[in-house]
Amino acid sequence: MDFTLSKEHDMVRTLFKDFAENEVKPLAQEIDEQHRFPRETVDKMAKYGFMGIPVPKEYGGQGADTLAYAMCVEELSKVCGTTGVIVSAHTSLCIDPILTFGTEEQKQKYVVPLAKGEKLGAFGLTEPGAGTDAQGQQTKAVLDGDEWVLNGSKCFITNGKEADVYVIFAVTGKVEKRGRIMKEISAFIVEKGTPGFTFGTKENKMGICASSTYELIFTDCRIPKENLLGAQGKGFNIAMHTLDGGRIGIASQALGLAEGALETTINYVKERKQFGKAIGAFQNTQFQLADMATKVEAAKMLVYKAARKKDEYKKDPKVSYSVEAAMAKLYAAEVAMEVTTKCVQLHGGYGYIKEYDVERMMRDAKITEIYEGTSEVQRMVISAALLK
Amino acid sequence: MKVVVCIKQVPDTKGGVSFNPDGTLNRAAMLAIMNPDDKAGLEAALRLKDQYGAEVTVLTMGLPKATDVLREALAMGADKAVLVTDRVLGGADTWATSTTIAGALRNLEYDLVITGRQAIDGDTAQVGPQIAEHLGLPVISYAQDIKIDGDKVIVERLYDDRYHVLEAKMPCLITALAELNEPRYMTPGGIFDAFQAEITTWGRADLKDVEDGNLGLNGSPTKIAKASDKVRKGAGEKVVPDSPEDAVAYIIGKLDEKHVI
Ligand SMILES: Cc1cc2nc3c(=O)[nH]c(=O)nc-3n(C[C@H](O)[C@H](O)[C@H](O)COP(=O)(O)OP(=O)(O)OC[C@H]3O[C@@H](n4cnc5c(N)ncnc54)[C@H](O)[C@@H]3O)c2cc1C
Ligand SMILES: Cc1cc2nc3c(=O)[nH]c(=O)nc-3n(C[C@H](O)[C@H](O)[C@H](O)COP(=O)(O)OP(=O)(O)OC[C@H]3O[C@@H](n4cnc5c(N)ncnc54)[C@H](O)[C@@H]3O)c2cc1C
């Protein structure tokens, strides 16, 4: 067992940190207030390979590992939760399923430009009636000659409207499973601009305000037959496999938010004076900081372990990282929520004012307990494995 | 076209300077970075690579730990890296440093040698011009812009209040200013590749046409006799002058007394 980072990982961390400080932090408050997608940052990240970190070089990526990718989302989220989730949804939810389940042609056509950051990706699973119960899909896909015809809608889609490539799930028939009639779900790759594919409501959110969250609408949207991703009927498995990886991304986002808030607060309590001394000199402040730092460190170990486990899986597909990912996301998200809330408290009245970063971090933290599977879903995954 | 960039690993003076009890620099306590002028020089070379397909080699003299800056340079896009390291090279002043680097450069092919204007630790700004002298190359210092025209370089050389445009035939040596450009970031993949890359390591025996008497502490005409921290500023002084004129006169007097003006 080795708890020290390799020199490579030390250096990538320095890179992500410098980039986040210089390029991302100066924009964080402005884009949050304006609810504006930071396209200029995405272009810069594309230039430096951040949009395809764990993707093999032959598919346009950087050939680095999941841990390096997790550290990127973490460092970005330390200063801006939105920028962290843009990278995470793109990499984990769009590139990963195409890379894992796509044909060689699909990888060349879609993964290469996505990993180079020439195109942006998104993932559309959730529907108004199918959130936690992802089986409750209503969107349909019917094969008509050489084309699939999609009808239905998706809601709450991250990178929606900004993305060029979408991995979409739809019902393609019915199957009998253990005597029950169940929906047969399949996955598809859909490009922006395809006739019949439009965008509906833009969500007005509590946090990650600069991330673009849209409704997707499909009305007789025809896509080529070869855009079926994986085998017909394997959509549910593809979605679940994808979300396992995505949870490492969101866990990294949550970890970054907690670390960012804690760092900011440590600086603040050293400066702010009341009763003639820095508020950091009060034992309540000190103990709060100690508890938070301990939880953040525990979260970090879980997140890095899950990332490492996914790297092992890449070498040996028998390895499972689903429970590790669920634990990392569950714990890191709850730590992010607790830490950011306490950090606002330690800032006093100033913490409630938008000029101070911690109020944004607190708003951003809440979503990490909800998307890519709520904390309750993570508990289901973990307990199911325990009681197997 | 071949470009060699000389880069030095220096303590990060931004994070504060730390001294040992005996007054020498506590290098171990300080973060080490690529000297900022050298990073700009490297960026200039990488732009020549982007534009003309130049091959970029980075070279450093230092302890084995200095490979860190070489890996950083590779991760930014340099093609080859050379570390010059040997016990006998330690304690070098600018003369011995420049003879060593010149000795290493004689093994390499180059059209351009780029160094920084100065290193933020030694602060002498002498190594670049001295290397040029040893190798019989023309030198253009304080470059704020570099262009290539056939077998010539056209360089804007910065002065306090103006710049000169100079043209020189290659091979030549240029010393770069941090103001030259905005250095690029490394890439994640570049970092992982850099740790797989082979770094050429040369010792005393690999230096060409250099005498022992010009190397290391023994070959240094100057010796550092003493190093000390600057005297710390005392507490500020509050004065309540009678009029604005008195205030100006008092401040000017103080600045004059401290040789600031
Ligand atoms: C900003 C944002 C971005 C998003 N991005 C995407 C995206 O890119 N792609 C995508 O496909 N989706 C996305 N989502 C959707 C997100 O994944 C879902 O909102 C989430 O999975 C929860 O589903 P729901 O909202 O329908 O809640 P519901 O499923 O209605 O859940 C409501 C509550 O009930 C609990 N609950 C439900 N079932 C059970 C049960 N069996 N046992 C115990 N508790 C239960 C839940 O945990 C939750 O607390 C996004 C959502 C948001 C808000
Ligand atoms: C406190 C202190 C006092 C010193 N006093 C003296 C003194 O009085 N006289 C004296 O001769 N030396 C002195 N030195 C010595 C020291 O030996 C220099 O650090 C060394 O010779 C290089 O000079 P420099 O750092 O000033 O580099 P500069 O001449 O400022 O560097 C110019 C450029 O040369 C290149 N370069 C410099 N060193 C290297 C290297 N090792 N590898 C690759 N490229 C390099 C870089 O491109 C750099 O940007 C002193 C050092 C210290 C710390």
Side-chain angles (χ1 to χ4, degrees), chain A residues 161-377:
Chain A
K161 204 165 185 174
E162 297 292 338
D164 309 284
V165 178
Y166 296 76
V167 171
I168 299 294
F169 298 84
V171 180
T172 46
K174 288 197 176 73
V175 280
E176 209 193 289
K177 230 178 172 180
R178 288 183 227 105
R180 276 202 303 158
I181 300 292
M182 289 179 66
K183 284 176 180 161
E184 179 199 87
I185 295 169
S186 303
F188 300 91
I189 305 170
V190 186
E191 292 181 52
K192 178 156 83 178
T194 308
F197 173 20
T198 54
F199 301 97
T201 318
K202 177 186 181 179
E203 300 302 343
N204 188 5
K205 307 184 293 288
M206 173 204 289
I208 55 163
C209 293
S211 148
S212 145
T213 313
Y214 266 90
E215 180 187 8
L216 315 181
I217 301 169
F218 302 96
T219 356
D220 292 328
C221 171
R222 304 182 84 89
I223 56 168
K225 194 175 159 187
E226 60 270 18
N227 279 25
L228 173 73
L229 179 62
Q232 186 176 335
K234 287 283 174 224
F236 194 73
N237 295 356
I238 294 176
M240 292 306 116
H241 174 92
T242 302
L243 288 171
D244 281 345
R247 283 166 192 163
I248 300 175
I250 300 309
S252 310
Q253 184 201 19
L255 171 64
L257 283 164
E259 289 179 299
L262 185 57
E263 223 170 271
T264 308
T265 304
I266 291 171
N267 291 332
Y268 184 79
V269 301
K270 285 200 237 171
E271 298 290 325
R272 172 72 175 168
K273 286 197 175 70
Q274 288 294 283
F275 301 98
K277 44 184 164 180
I279 55 173
F282 302 127
Q283 200 170 53
N284 176 62
T285 311
Q286 295 166 353
F287 284 8
Q288 300 255 8
L289 292 177
D291 288 348
M292 289 194 279
T294 306
K295 286 181 183 174
V296 165
E297 188 66 17
K300 188 171 175 164
M301 293 299 120
L302 285 176
V303 175
Y304 287 9
K305 185 184 170 194
R308 270 285 169 252
K309 205 75 192 282
K310 181 159 193 242
D311 284 329
E312 277 175 43
Y313 156 84
K314 283 201 230 166
K315 288 179 202 128
D316 175 8
K318 284 199 292 291
V319 173
S320 162
Y321 55 91
S322 143
V323 172
E324 285 81 359
M327 286 178 170
K329 180 180 181 279
L330 169 64
Y331 190 72
E334 294 193 343
V335 166
M337 199 59 233
E338 182 189 332
V339 166
T340 53
T341 308
K342 287 186 171 158
C343 286
V344 169
Q345 185 70 16
L346 287 175
H347 273 71
Y350 298 94
Y352 202 66
I353 308 297
K354 295 223 172 194
E355 259 166 71
Y356 290 80
D357 293 328
V358 284
E359 71 82 32
R360 170 168 42 84
M361 293 168 168
M362 178 176 158
R363 287 186 285 108
D364 287 357
K366 183 62 210 177
I367 189 61
T368 65
E369 293 183 317
I370 298 171
Y371 61 12
E372 304 208 15
T374 61
S375 290
E376 293 71 29
V377 168

Side-chain angles (χ1 to χ4, degrees), chain B residues 105-122:
Chain B
L105 280 166
R106 288 191 188 97
N107 295 319
L108 295 169
E109 281 174 40
Y110 52 80
D111 301 290
L112 263 187
V113 176
I114 302 181
T115 74
R117 167 196 41 188
Q118 81 191 59
I120 56 172
D121 57 348

